[in-house]
Amino acid sequence: MTTARSVPAADGVPLHVELDGPQDAPVTAVLVHGWTLDRRVWRPVTRSLATGASPVRVVRPDHRGHGRSAPVDPATMTIDQLADDLAEVVAATAPTGPLVLAGHSMGGMTLMALAERHPHVLARAVGVVLVATASGGLAERPFGLSPPAAAVYRRAQRRIAATREWSRREQLGDPRLIAPAMRWLLLGARPSPEAIRITCETVGGCRPLTVSGFQPTLEAHERDAALAAFADIPTAVLVGSRDRLTPVRAARRIADAVPSASLTIFPEAGHMLPLERVSGVASRIAALAADAAVEQPWQRWTA
């Protein structure tokens, strides 16, 4: 059963958070979603984690400006701010006990910023799962475009984002109308109907200001140095072979920088691994949680 609550960020912004699984489970998995998405992309993985052989408690927040969290001024739409928000969510929903931190796309980047800004939270992590994400280089070839095409895209995006209609709209677009573009951009070969539906519903329901507001911080994201904080934490790096946004080279860049990391490339999968490869993603999170439950003494995590 899912329980919803609101957690105030440090600046007062209400953040929507959903909790699943047994509340007395020995390990809490914190699942962090990506840009233009929301907590729903983790729903299939959550079902597996919350009802598996060794159930895990799951925390799924919506980033500020996303999903059911409050809209915010674009000036606060930064990855650093998301890391600060995540620290508040963890303090409010999982103040003690071991954590498995999993981040998809911008959610993985948020975990890197969390390591920089809130090392006390990372100190409780018994596992990290970085899903279809990058430690930098996003400004080089956005959406896999060539440099000339990327320049055209940026000029067009700036013109559209400056219009009054863009800032006034509550949703990006009708999920049915954007489905062909989303399948090409975000999904790999033969996605399930659920993967298509949740992808299109979350992106289509995203606020246009959120889309444009977070783009500068994504392009400025360069956190190779932050990866050193994961060196002694079991870390899984997952990527789809058809990922257009954070391609295999981005995953290799992370894995090469983290001695403890294992790299898994899912053939024919795209960017939406939590929806396209549910069992593969869930099994890695569950394995890290199970290892912690067996090997870590509880008392260590209750102080």
Side-chain angles (χ1 to χ4, degrees):
M1 181 177 177
T2 300
T3 302
R5 62 176 293 186
S6 180
V7 174
D11 60 359
V13 172
L15 303 171
H16 180 79
V17 183
E18 294 189 354
L19 310 175
D20 296 272
Q23 295 306 292
D24 60 350
V27 181
T28 298
V30 182
L31 310 183
V32 192
H33 70 79
W35 178 46
T36 76
L37 306 170
D38 62 41
R39 79 232 168 256
R40 287 176 289 175
V41 302
W42 284 109
R43 187 180 291 161
V45 169
T46 296
R47 285 198 299 262
S48 177
L49 294 175
T51 60
S54 299
V56 176
R57 183 171 182 262
V58 178
V59 175
R60 292 180 294 144
D62 278 344
H63 290 308
R64 61 175 54 218
H66 292 75
R68 293 183 179 176
S69 289
V72 293
D73 189 302
T76 74
M77 295 182 185
T78 68
I79 293 173
D80 281 350
Q81 181 64 65
L82 297 185
D84 295 348
D85 292 348
L86 184 59
E88 295 290 340
V89 167
V90 170
T93 62
T96 62
L99 306 171
V100 174
L101 303 174
H104 171 238
S105 194
M106 188 171 72
M109 302 170 206
T110 301
L111 297 185
M112 298 173 202
L114 184 79
E116 293 177 327
R117 300 172 68 84
H118 301 279
H120 66 284
V121 178
L122 193 69
R124 293 172 51 204
V126 294
V128 172
V129 185
L130 300 173
V131 185
T133 190
S135 58
L138 297 175
E140 298 168 5
R141 296 177 64 90
F143 309 133
L145 298 172
S146 66
V152 172
Y153 160 76
R154 288 193 182 94
R155 288 196 296 270
Q157 192 276 334
R158 285 194 294 267
R159 286 197 296 269
I160 293 170
T163 64
R164 183 173 300 178
E165 180 184 0
W166 179 264
S167 61
R168 287 181 173 179
R169 290 172 62 185
E170 290 295 320
Q171 295 188 332
L172 188 61
D174 187 324
R176 295 168 297 180
L177 297 180
I178 68 172
M182 293 302 99
R183 288 193 65 168
W184 175 84
L185 180 63
L186 298 178
L187 297 165
R190 299 178 297 279
S192 69
E194 182 179 47
I196 297 170
R197 177 180 58 79
I198 294 178
T199 297
C200 295
E201 286 180 354
T202 53
V203 176
C206 186
R207 303 173 183 93
L209 274 182
T210 294
V211 178
S212 57
F214 275 99
Q215 190 153 340
T217 193
L218 289 168
E219 294 190 350
H221 169 72
E222 295 291 342
R223 288 187 170 83
D224 285 336
L227 297 175
F230 302 138
D232 297 323
I233 304 172
T235 300
V237 181
L238 314 180
V239 66
S241 68
R242 292 194 176 195
D243 193 328
R244 294 179 182 272
L245 296 189
T246 54
V248 171
R249 65 176 180 273
R252 292 193 189 280
R253 176 170 163 174
I254 296 171
D256 288 346
V258 181
S260 63
S262 62
L263 172 63
T264 301
I265 302 172
F266 291 93
E268 302 301 308
H271 187 65
M272 300 299 293
L273 289 182
L275 297 172
E276 296 182 75
R277 298 293 185 268
V278 176
S279 62
V281 175
S283 65
R284 283 156 178 81
I285 297 172
L288 291 170
D291 288 346
V294 170
E295 297 176 6
Q296 300 294 340
W298 282 129
Q299 293 78 5
R300 175 181 172 186
W301 304 101
T302 57

